[in-house]
Amino acid sequence: MRLFIAMESEEIQEELAKLQEKLQINGRKIKKEQIHLTLKFIGEQKKVEEIRKVLRKIAFSPMELEVENLGTFPGRKGSLLYLKIKKSKELEQLYQRIEQGLFQKGIPRDQRKYLPHITLARNVYSYENQVPLPKRFLVDGYHLKESCFTENGVEYHRIESYD
């Protein structure tokens, strides 16, 4: 299974779907139901039950995600457009607890520095950047998710939630 850990909520998905429209993105927008903040990309993994046990032991308290700005990562076919999230103490601590717990089960740590963000679109060539951005979001949990490749593109399925 191709796994990742993410934060999401219908409120965030609704608000960011509206933002996508206001940005007038010339690119491929992320579907509303797939909008999320990745805490950790795990990748192909067979230790699903061990991962679930680790995540069940990690304490979580609702937290606010504060929006910093829009950003882009360059790509071969346009850029990836994202909403940068401020790295709060609570978010960083959660990320570190997940990293440590999974590392103890043999899952490698991320080699890149953690950059909390929510992807809004891929293959972006232009967008309207003078649009007011949301200030913050409340999240009350996180989820273990599976990423599946289908003929209609990538689909995400929730395996288990933690709050």
Side-chain angles (χ1 to χ4, degrees), residues 98-125:
I98 290 169
E99 278 283 272
Q100 181 62 27
L102 294 178
F103 181 72
Q104 290 174 350
K105 295 297 180 185
I107 296 169
R109 294 181 189 274
D110 283 330
Q111 296 303 305
R112 294 181 286 185
K113 183 179 171 189
Y114 181 55
L115 175 67
H117 68 280
I118 299 172
T119 301
L120 298 174
R122 294 183 180 359
N123 306 336
V124 174
Y125 291 97

Side-chain angles (χ1 to χ4, degrees), residues 79-142:
S79 298
L80 182 139
L81 177 65
Y82 65 88
L83 193 62
K84 185 176 181 189
I85 303 299
K86 184 176 184 179
K87 196 185 292 185
S88 66
K89 178 180 166 187
E90 295 85 5
L91 184 58
E92 179 65 26
Q93 287 174 344
L94 177 61
Y95 171 76
Q96 291 300 332
R97 288 193 305 264
I98 290 169
E99 278 283 272
Q100 181 62 27
L102 294 178
F103 181 72
Q104 290 174 350
K105 295 297 180 185
I107 296 169
R109 294 181 189 274
D110 283 330
Q111 296 303 305
R112 294 181 286 185
K113 183 179 171 189
Y114 181 55
L115 175 67
H117 68 280
I118 299 172
T119 301
L120 298 174
R122 294 183 180 359
N123 306 336
V124 174
Y125 291 97
S126 65
Y127 63 94
E128 172 58 53
N129 65 358
Q130 299 302 313
V131 173
L133 300 175
K135 302 276 189 247
R136 56 185 45 89
F137 302 106
L138 180 65
V139 290
D140 57 6
Y142 63 98

